[in-house]
Amino acid sequence: MGEMTSRIGFNKYQLFGKIAVLTVMIILIAMFIFFHPVLKSKPNSSYVPMIFLIIICLFLFFVSVLMTLQLLFIPKGVNIDHANNSIVLTFFGARSMTIYRNDLSNFSSTLVKTISTCCEGILLNLKDGEKYLLSDFNLKDYKPTKTFLEEGNVTWNENEKFSFIVYFINYFKHKFQHRL
């Protein structure tokens, strides 16, 4: 008989890389806001450099927000409890969530595409409409979870397209609807 519980940790390169990049981006945005060298330019000078820097800052801000959402709302670990037929998702910080097999509607395979990588994974689709990403993007290895779900005869849907923006819109929409 196999282990009764399995622990899957986070993808350390993604986690620590995000923290490092976020730190650099926040410093760059802060430098622009507090030192704003373009805003100190002469009145008759061209506005092109200022517009260019504002666009860069807005882009950095958007990427920073997206990376912060990834850190906070995508699972960073999974505990598989074979005895209770459950999966415990752990998030950045101390937050966790238990999902029992009978809470699942199905799961789908997906690809998480970023600028530098393409990671395989699965989306857990809960009966109440929530979705959670488990992939090589955010976990050390998602495959034990997939095996657990297959052994439990959870319905598998072939492929589901993944987008971080759609994922977070649906996440917050679902959370907001449950609070009403």
Side-chain angles (χ1 to χ4, degrees), residues 2 20 34 36-37 51 74 78 94 103 126 128 131 138 144 157 178:
F34 292 114
H36 45 76
I51 292 170
I74 292 180
V78 176
D103 294 335
L126 278 57
D128 67 359
K131 293 183 180 216
N138 56 318
N157 292 339
H178 273 59

Side-chain angles (χ1 to χ4, degrees), residues 20-171:
V21 169
L22 268 172
T23 303
V24 169
M25 284 197 292
I26 290 170
I27 290 169
L28 288 173
I29 292 170
M31 285 175 59
F32 176 73
I33 291 171
F34 292 114
F35 300 117
H36 45 76
V38 173
L39 299 178
K40 293 179 183 179
S41 63
K42 297 175 188 170
N44 294 334
S45 65
S46 172
Y47 289 106
V48 174
M50 184 167 76
I51 292 170
F52 182 69
L53 280 174
I54 289 171
I55 290 170
I56 289 174
C57 274
L58 289 174
F59 174 76
L60 289 174
F61 179 75
F62 175 75
V63 172
S64 298
V65 168
L66 188 60
M67 290 177 78
T68 301
L69 291 173
Q70 290 173 358
L71 277 174
L72 297 176
F73 300 109
I74 292 180
K76 297 294 174 247
V78 176
N79 291 326
I80 302 169
D81 189 339
H82 297 276
N84 290 331
N85 287 324
S86 67
I87 300 169
V88 178
L89 304 179
T90 56
F91 297 86
F92 195 70
R95 191 169 61 96
S96 66
M97 173 187 179
T98 302
I99 300 172
Y100 294 94
R101 245 190 224 149
N102 58 2
D103 294 335
L104 290 164
S105 169
N106 58 56
F107 73 101
S108 325
S109 59
T110 191
L111 289 176
V112 180
K113 296 177 183 177
T114 66
I115 292 172
S116 60
T117 61
C118 182
C119 301
E120 294 181 353
I122 58 173
L123 281 170
L124 300 179
N125 299 303
L126 278 57
K127 290 179 181 173
D128 67 359
E130 285 187 271
K131 293 183 180 216
Y132 292 96
L133 174 68
L134 305 177
S135 73
D136 290 335
F137 175 78
N138 56 318
L139 301 173
K140 200 182 294 184
D141 184 15
Y142 77 95
K143 290 179 183 95
T145 308
K146 183 177 180 184
T147 303
F148 171 77
L149 297 170
E150 289 170 341
E151 290 172 353
N153 295 320
V154 176
T155 306
W156 176 69
N157 292 339
E158 285 192 33
N159 291 317
E160 190 170 341
K161 189 174 179 177
F162 181 80
S163 160
F164 283 112
I165 294 172
V166 172
Y167 180 84
F168 291 123
I169 289 171
N170 289 334
Y171 180 88

